[in-house]
Amino acid sequence: MTPREAYSMAGALIWAVRVLLLPLVKSRAVIEMIRYLAGHLEVCRSRPGVSSSAMWDEKVEVGHLTPRVGVLVAEILEHPGAFRISRSKKVVILATDASAWGYAICRRGRNGRWHLIEMKKWSQEQAGKEIKWRELWVMVRAVVQDDTRDEDVVLLGDNSTAVAALRRGISDIPDSDCMIGQCWDACSQRNLWLRPMWIPTQAMPADGPSRGGDIDPKQVEMVERILKERSIELDVT
């Protein structure tokens, strides 16, 4: 193929996209089709014979997850100038950890102090799960059970596999897809900007409580230093 032929082919392709494809994508029929799929496609299902309480206790129901991505895309195509990406100035920082004993969820208060939100020993069923499943479970639980709305949420974890699973939205961790979907669905409903972030165990405030102990001031000092190094906007008011 000569350079002239390649140039002509590229020009024809650009013309086809601008003249044929874009009007089709913006058409009412395509918009309605996306809305229909978004309303009927179920991304995750509860496994037959397994109750929601087996995974989330009585407080959180797994249920069925219907994606909102298709609806959002349809709205953007229909009113492209009406959407803006906005981020809150407030930052909520949650730290989670899982051990052989149990799990813990800590939250950084507005005054800069870390508070223990939840500390509990594993049930017999949960204790039989591998550690990366338990790490992911407690990270998702921290987001789903928190009542934060319209804010940035920095979610700290010391298990790189669990953090990567939340970032990607998919994982090879057994029985994890519904958990991940539940987490991001909660973010969508409450307008949360979630940032899963890995930190070393030496800087994890929830490390001690996950073993039945207390928050270690040395770990708090280290995590505060890491957050500042990573340019996390800390609220100390």
Side-chain angles (χ1 to χ4, degrees):
M1 180 183 296
T2 64
R4 182 182 295 274
E5 292 174 339
Y7 181 80
S8 299
M9 183 175 295
L13 180 60
I14 294 174
W15 177 87
V17 170
R18 294 181 60 183
V19 177
L20 301 178
L21 184 59
L22 288 182
L24 177 64
V25 171
K26 293 182 179 181
S27 68
R28 171 66 60 177
V30 174
I31 292 174
E32 293 302 326
M33 181 183 67
I34 293 176
R35 283 178 173 161
Y36 176 84
L37 291 176
H40 291 78
L41 178 63
E42 291 178 342
V43 172
C44 86
R45 296 174 179 270
S46 297
R47 288 180 298 160
V50 178
S51 65
S52 299
S53 61
M55 181 177 293
W56 291 105
D57 298 331
E58 308 80 35
K59 299 180 181 179
V60 183
E61 180 181 0
V62 175
H64 289 60
L65 173 66
T66 301
R68 292 172 172 77
V69 177
V71 177
L72 177 61
V73 171
E75 295 293 341
I76 292 176
L77 290 175
E78 190 172 5
H79 306 288
F83 289 83
R84 298 289 186 273
I85 296 178
S86 61
R87 298 181 60 183
S88 169
K89 294 182 179 179
K90 298 180 180 179
V91 179
V92 174
I93 303 177
L94 300 172
T96 66
D97 194 34
S99 68
W101 179 85
Y103 66 89
I105 301 172
C106 296
R107 175 170 176 160
R108 186 184 188 276
R110 297 297 185 192
N111 56 3
R113 296 181 180 179
W114 285 86
H115 305 280
L116 179 62
I117 302 301
E118 185 177 12
M119 178 178 67
K120 192 174 181 180
K121 190 175 181 179
W122 295 116
S123 66
Q124 185 175 358
E125 180 182 0
Q126 292 170 328
K129 299 285 187 178
E130 56 183 312
I131 186 61
K132 57 185 179 181
W133 182 93
R134 285 178 281 169
E135 292 277 7
L136 177 61
W137 184 91
V138 68
M139 292 184 74
V140 173
R141 185 179 182 89
V143 175
V144 172
Q145 293 200 150
D146 193 81
D147 59 356
T148 299
R149 291 180 177 273
D150 304 315
E151 293 185 347
D152 286 10
V153 177
V154 176
L155 182 60
L156 304 177
D158 62 2
N159 185 282
S160 58
T161 303
V163 172
L166 279 182
R167 285 179 175 175
R168 294 196 305 263
I170 191 172
S171 173
D172 58 356
I173 300 176
D175 303 324
S176 64
D177 289 344
C178 282
M179 287 194 293
I180 296 173
Q182 184 81 354
C183 178
W184 288 106
D185 191 47
C187 292
S188 174
Q189 292 178 2
R190 304 206 306 266
N191 191 29
L192 301 179
W193 185 291
L194 181 63
R195 287 184 280 173
M197 182 180 298
W198 177 87
I199 60 172
T201 302
Q202 295 82 355
M204 171 54 68
D207 178 58
S210 72
R211 307 172 193 277
D214 299 322
I215 299 176
D216 189 339
K218 294 182 179 179
Q219 290 174 315
V220 169
E221 181 180 352
M222 186 175 296
V223 72
E224 290 289 315
R225 184 166 62 250
I226 290 175
L227 292 173
K228 291 179 180 179
E229 291 174 353
R230 298 182 184 180
S231 300
I232 304 299
E233 298 176 5
L234 302 178
D235 189 347
V236 295
T237 59

